[in-house]
């Protein structure tokens, strides 16, 4: 048998194992609200090839691919346990088991590692939490996709309605088509039908009522059977407490803004300050995509090295508020054609750092350039550190942060030498450290941070909503503090 034959046989065997994983992962998700992860990447609703590619990502840990034959025993062990709602990382189980010296079997080790999700420790599944989307633009539709994807057993977040202004003939059909197909993010994963008579979009079995209103005061959500809901405002029209309070109508319990909040509205970056949200807080903001991209790595660097001061330059994809061709715009430069020009503009991300990281004493400044790409941006974070470091030291530290720290859902890491912006479309992390571009000299470090300013940010929004709604389930094994 040739080397090629050996490689092909090995591939077919791994395909077979990955195929066997899919029904186990699906059943755990539907019946127990257990999300199976592999190094913080969800394996729910993934194809055979996607599962194998995600295993290959583990090369960043030990320099070699993690095989499905190594993780499958842990997945099977999970099926024997009385699990409650949780997120369980079989990649971390496999890695920690290798380093364990207790002499336990896979089954014994797994039971010990996820004990917090079993027996008397497990979280009981609730009735779910209603969610309403106010506005259905770029972020609104991506948040909708994520909510539908994460519906699971129906006991978590439930997208019940979207509120939009009437758009004329076949409005609901056109909105459903925009949810079904996206020029950047591709096809919706599932089926979508429209019930025009009842003003409802049905996506993967989720009935989503389309409510037409020109003002928040026009809607009584209880008339649609909606109660105790979290409303996600994707319009950005209201950004202070007074404006966002208009949404606190019958049926709405909390309001989450997908733009930087003003005044005393808390700006929350999941992974950094989400645990500061008070239980009785009814209005909060998820800050901006750029704030979410820079704050987690900024916190990580400050924790380890100390940050004395910094500057962030964002090279940002153009957005819907810019003009396709030169035309009037209330902002001078944004009136020039977005697909044809680099456009200097402002960013509030640097000033927003203080809200998310109040203990950071360093002064952070910022500026931005909009460029002719439709999605994915890069933040260049130039930091003066409190102590000197080497490039190799910082690389190792950030790689470890991305894999094992509490920020591993926010910070990703890539070492591919030919990485470009389109490679990060669909990334679920707030930002991705580009190892090849990192520069460190003495007490100066320059981090290049890619981020999908649409999808990655939407994932951060969902994490905040899960947290404040009580359906953000614990992860096992727990990340290192």
């Amino acid at each position: 048998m040739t080397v090629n034959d050996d490689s092909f046989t090995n591939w077919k065997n791994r395909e077979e194992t990955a195929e066997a994983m899919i029904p186990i992962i699906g059943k755990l998700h539907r019946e127990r609200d257990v999300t199976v992860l592999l190094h913080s990447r969800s394996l729910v609703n993934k194809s055979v090839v996607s599962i194998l590619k995600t295993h290959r990502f583990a090369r960043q840990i030990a320099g070699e691919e993690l095989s499905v034959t190594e993780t499958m025993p842990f997945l099977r062990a999970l099926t024997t346990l009385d699990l409650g709602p949780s997120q369980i990382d079989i990649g971390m189980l496999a890695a920690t088991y290798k380093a364990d010296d207790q002499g336990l079997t896979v089954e014994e080790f797994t039971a010990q590692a996820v004990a917090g999700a079993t027996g008397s420790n497990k979280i009981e599944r609730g009735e779910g939490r209603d969610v309403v989307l106010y506005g259905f633009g770029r972020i609104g539709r991506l948040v909708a996709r994520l909510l539908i994807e994460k519906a699971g057993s129906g006991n978590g977040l439930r997208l019940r309605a979207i509120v939009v202004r009437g758009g004329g003939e076949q409005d609901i059909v056109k909105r459903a088509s925009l949810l079904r197909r996206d020029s950047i993010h591709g096809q919706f994963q599932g089926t979508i039908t429209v019930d025009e008579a009842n003003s409802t979009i049905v996506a993967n079995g989720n009935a989503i009522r389309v409510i037409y209103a020109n003002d928040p005061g026009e809607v009584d959500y209880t008339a649609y059977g909606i109660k105790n809901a979290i409303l996600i405002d994707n319009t950005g029209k209201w950004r202070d407490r007074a404006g966002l309070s208009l949404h606190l109508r019958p049926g709405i319990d909390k309001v989450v803004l997908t733009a930087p909040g003003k005044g005393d509205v808390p700006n929350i970056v999941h992974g950094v300050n989400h645990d500061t949200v008070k239980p009785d807080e009814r209005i909060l903001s998820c800050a901006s995509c750029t704030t979410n991209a820079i704050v987690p790595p900024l916190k990580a660097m400050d924790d380890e090295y100390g940050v004395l001061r910094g500057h962030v330059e964002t090279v940002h994809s153009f957005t819907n508020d810019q003009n396709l061709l030169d035309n009037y715009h209330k902002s001078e430069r944004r009136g020039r054609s977005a697909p044809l020009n680099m456009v200097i503009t402002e960013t509030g991300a640097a000033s927003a750092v203080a809200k998310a990281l109040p203990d950071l004493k360093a002064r952070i400044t910022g500026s931005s350039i909009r460029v002719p790409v439709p999605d994915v941006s890069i933040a260049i974070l130039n930091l003066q550190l409190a102590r000197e470091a080497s490039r190799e030291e910082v690389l190792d530290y950030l790689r470890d942060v991305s894999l094992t720290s509490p920020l591993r859902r926010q910070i990703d890491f890539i070492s591919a030498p030919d990485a470009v912006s389109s490679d990060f479309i669909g990334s679920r992390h707030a930002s991705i450290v580009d190892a090849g571009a990192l520069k460190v000299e003495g007490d100066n470090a320059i981090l290049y941070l890619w981020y999908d300013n649409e999808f990655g940010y939407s994932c951060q929004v969902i994490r905040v909503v899960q947290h404040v709604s009580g359906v953000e389930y614990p992860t096992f094994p727990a990340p290192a503090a």
Side-chain angles (χ1 to χ4, degrees):
M1 184 177 287
T2 67
V3 172
N4 286 339
D5 289 335
D6 284 342
S7 297
F8 186 68
T9 300
N10 178 263
W11 173 261
K12 301 305 287 184
N13 290 338
R14 287 186 292 147
E15 271 190 325
E16 184 178 2
T17 302
E19 286 171 356
M21 285 181 156
I22 292 174
I24 299 174
I25 293 167
K27 189 173 182 179
L28 286 169
H29 187 56
R30 288 191 308 274
E31 297 183 1
R32 306 192 198 181
D33 277 337
V34 172
T35 300
V36 177
L37 310 174
L38 191 113
H39 292 300
S40 76
R41 287 159 163 76
S42 174
L43 296 182
V44 176
N45 292 328
K46 293 297 187 289
S47 67
V48 168
V49 172
S50 292
I51 290 173
L52 293 174
K53 286 181 68 176
T54 306
H55 278 73
R56 188 165 175 76
F57 165 78
R59 286 181 301 168
Q60 291 194 17
I61 301 168
E64 58 184 23
E65 186 174 342
L66 181 65
S67 172
V68 287
T69 60
E70 295 177 78
T71 57
M72 183 58 147
F74 296 94
L75 185 59
R76 288 202 176 103
L78 294 177
T79 65
T80 68
L81 302 173
D82 180 27
L83 291 168
S86 55
Q87 299 186 101
I88 299 178
D89 195 319
I90 58 174
M92 290 301 295
L93 281 174
T96 52
Y97 181 67
K98 282 184 179 180
D100 186 69
D101 59 1
Q102 298 178 79
L104 302 175
T105 65
V106 166
E107 292 74 18
E108 291 169 338
F109 180 83
T110 302
Q112 183 184 89
V114 303
T118 61
S120 61
N121 295 321
K122 71 179 183 181
I123 299 170
E124 294 301 325
R125 291 190 290 174
E127 295 181 354
R129 191 70 177 268
D130 291 352
V131 178
V132 173
L133 298 180
Y134 199 97
F136 206 50
R138 298 296 302 155
I139 300 301
R141 292 194 296 273
L142 291 177
V143 168
R145 286 188 175 200
L146 286 164
L147 287 167
I148 295 162
E149 171 194 304
K150 295 177 181 297
S153 66
N155 295 310
L157 299 176
R158 302 179 302 188
L159 177 56
R160 296 294 306 280
I162 61 173
V163 183
V164 293
R165 289 176 296 190
E169 187 178 353
Q170 288 198 309
D171 178 274
I172 190 172
V173 173
K174 293 174 182 176
R175 294 185 189 278
S177 292
L178 286 169
L179 178 62
R180 184 181 291 115
R181 287 178 289 270
D182 189 281
S183 299
I184 295 171
H185 300 283
Q187 297 277 345
F188 173 81
Q189 296 301 303
T191 63
I192 293 176
T193 57
V194 175
D195 181 352
E196 286 190 83
N198 292 301
S199 193
T200 300
I201 296 172
V202 181
N204 289 359
N206 296 266
I208 307 161
R209 185 65 181 258
V210 180
I211 302 170
Y212 293 99
N214 294 315
D215 183 86
E218 297 179 9
V219 189
D220 177 359
Y221 294 96
T222 60
Y224 303 94
I226 296 168
K227 59 182 180 180
N228 196 36
I230 295 177
L231 181 144
I232 305 174
D233 184 328
N234 306 292
T235 67
K237 183 176 180 180
W238 305 277
R239 292 171 60 184
D240 60 11
R241 188 171 294 275
L244 293 169
S245 293
L246 297 172
H247 289 302
L248 294 174
R249 305 280 300 155
I252 303 299
D253 179 54
K254 295 180 186 292
V255 178
V256 175
L257 171 66
T258 61
K262 294 182 177 180
D264 66 342
V265 174
N267 281 253
I268 304 302
V269 175
H270 191 276
V272 175
N273 68 337
H274 66 279
D275 56 356
T276 65
V277 179
K278 298 175 181 177
D280 60 351
E281 179 60 74
R282 302 188 70 189
I283 294 174
L284 53 92
S285 155
C286 291
S288 71
C289 56
T290 300
T291 303
N292 276 265
I294 65 173
V295 165
L298 184 55
K299 180 184 187 306
M301 291 298 289
D302 188 51
D303 286 347
E304 180 67 16
Y305 301 101
V307 174
L308 301 181
R309 62 173 173 268
H311 177 81
V312 60
E313 182 79 34
T314 67
V315 182
H316 199 291
S317 60
F318 64 79
T319 59
N320 206 40
D321 79 312
Q322 294 175 255
N323 293 333
L324 287 175
L325 295 173
D326 290 0
N327 208 342
Y328 174 81
H329 194 290
K330 63 181 180 180
S331 173
E332 289 85 354
R333 297 184 199 254
R334 291 196 192 192
R336 302 299 298 277
S337 173
L340 299 177
N341 294 291
M342 294 189 291
V343 179
I344 297 173
T345 187
E346 70 285 340
T347 176
S351 59
V353 167
K355 283 193 172 184
L357 280 176
D359 293 336
L360 182 71
K361 305 307 179 187
R363 180 171 182 264
I364 307 296
T365 57
S367 51
S368 181
I369 303 172
R370 296 287 178 92
V371 294
V373 294
D375 187 30
V376 180
S377 305
I378 190 167
I380 305 167
L381 191 57
N382 193 332
L383 305 175
Q384 182 185 356
L385 307 178
R387 66 177 175 89
E388 294 190 353
S390 69
R391 184 174 184 275
E392 292 72 22
E393 178 190 350
V394 175
L395 275 177
D396 288 344
Y397 170 66
L398 291 174
R399 181 189 290 109
D400 186 60
V401 165
S402 75
L403 294 169
T404 63
S405 82
L407 290 171
R408 63 185 181 180
R409 297 171 73 193
Q410 283 71 43
I411 300 175
D412 203 0
F413 185 95
I414 188 166
S415 54
D418 59 347
V420 293
S421 62
S422 61
D423 296 333
F424 305 102
I425 293 174
S427 169
R428 294 179 181 237
H429 289 77
S431 60
I432 306 98
V433 176
D434 191 312
L438 176 74
K439 292 176 172 55
V440 180
E441 185 173 342
D443 64 353
N444 178 242
I446 305 175
L447 280 61
Y448 287 73
L449 307 165
W450 298 101
Y451 58 109
D452 185 330
N453 47 278
E454 294 186 336
F455 196 73
Y457 175 67
S458 296
C459 290
Q460 283 286 89
V461 171
I462 290 294
R463 290 170 189 138
V464 170
V465 173
Q466 287 176 321
H467 177 73
V468 300
S469 65
V471 297
E472 183 182 33
Y473 302 134
T475 300
F476 300 96

